[in-house]
Amino acid sequence: MRALILDFDGTLYLGDLPVQAYARHVADQLPEPDAIGLIAALRFFLEGKVTELAGPGDLRGSNLTGVDLQAAEDGFQAVEILSAAAGLGEEAISAAYRAARRDLAASAFALETPEGLPELLAELGDVHVRVVTNADADGVQAVLTAIGVARYVDEVVTDAGKPASMPGLVQDTLAAVGAGGEPARLLAVGDRWAMDLAAAHAAGAVTALIDRFGRGDGSPTFRAPDFAGLIPHIRRWARR
């Protein structure tokens, strides 16, 4: 048997509603100049304009001018970096994140499905599909249902504690499908190399990276700017 480990945010749905909600809940806790600056900086990041963050007009007068987002692999990490730069504490950042997850549960219907994803999972009837996310349970099942893939997911792991937990999760998955001696029967898909894929790669599994911003991180087996671009590779892996 084969197994597929799927990341959640940035992988299984299209759209930035959750990360934008995260930013709004952070901004609500900041002085106006920093709140405006944070929303502006996130917009630049999501548009792929990280190099222009040296000081767009909306950042002037805030504590965020010149914040380096080059290390941010996705919007969530960008919000965390910006929040810390604005002086927000870990507890306040976590509260904003939890509030955004509740928003996600209520707005799952507005998310788009990556082209071909439900059809792909329907084909993989003999593949154990495991969704692994650091998000809490709020909204996860609602999103899986809204994007039409819930019926194809065998297991959902929330509050996963990635990346520290990933080596154990990879080995557990291999053992569960009887592929301990054949790690290439496991394929991991995600949008952050260190968070989602590095442990699977180290174990000898196949990896597929959604490189939305063309960062070139890691050494995945397959790389594409979106999930749709990975589908032919995943299909070939399943048939191998």
Side-chain angles (χ1 to χ4, degrees):
M1 189 175 184
R2 292 175 181 265
L4 186 63
I5 293 180
L6 298 171
D7 174 47
F8 182 64
D9 294 307
T11 299
L12 288 185
Y13 61 83
L14 302 176
D16 292 314
L17 285 177
V19 72
Q20 289 167 342
Y22 185 19
R24 286 196 303 273
H25 286 293
V26 166
D28 286 344
Q29 304 176 72
L30 296 174
E32 185 173 353
D34 288 342
I36 293 172
L38 186 143
I39 298 298
L42 178 64
R43 184 181 70 249
F44 269 67
F45 178 85
L46 294 176
E47 292 174 353
K49 300 175 180 177
V50 177
T51 57
E52 299 177 34
L53 278 171
D58 286 344
L59 269 67
R60 292 172 193 158
S62 77
N63 292 311
L64 303 176
T65 302
V67 170
D68 185 5
L69 291 181
Q70 296 283 353
E73 294 183 72
D74 66 0
F76 288 93
Q77 196 170 18
V79 173
E80 291 163 10
I81 292 171
L82 291 164
S83 302
L88 209 59
E90 186 174 329
E91 185 175 336
I93 296 172
S94 295
Y97 179 77
R98 291 192 299 272
R101 304 318 300 192
R102 291 192 294 271
D103 289 349
L104 178 61
S107 59
F109 65 90
L111 299 175
E112 296 180 43
T113 308
E115 184 179 356
L117 174 60
E119 294 81 2
L120 171 71
L121 295 183
E123 292 176 25
L124 305 181
D126 58 346
V127 175
H128 183 85
V129 179
R130 190 180 204 188
V131 173
V132 178
T133 175
N134 281 353
D136 58 30
D138 278 339
V140 174
Q141 198 60 46
V143 170
L144 295 178
T145 299
I147 64 175
V149 303
R151 73 186 77 175
Y152 308 119
V153 175
D154 299 295
E155 183 183 2
V156 178
V157 179
T158 57
D159 296 297
K162 298 188 292 183
S165 65
M166 280 304 291
L169 285 165
V170 166
Q171 294 304 321
D172 287 349
T173 305
L174 288 170
V177 299
E182 300 178 69
R185 288 164 59 189
L186 168 65
L187 191 154
V189 184
D191 69 324
R192 293 173 64 171
W193 173 255
M195 181 76 74
D196 303 322
L197 304 180
H201 172 76
V206 179
T207 55
L209 178 66
I210 297 171
D211 194 359
R212 171 180 174 180
F213 300 108
R215 291 169 51 90
D217 292 337
S219 51
T221 315
F222 313 120
R223 184 193 303 270
D226 53 29
F227 200 108
L230 295 174
I231 287 178
H233 301 295
I234 298 172
R235 187 173 281 128
R236 283 194 293 270
W237 163 82
R239 293 171 177 169
R240 191 175 305 162

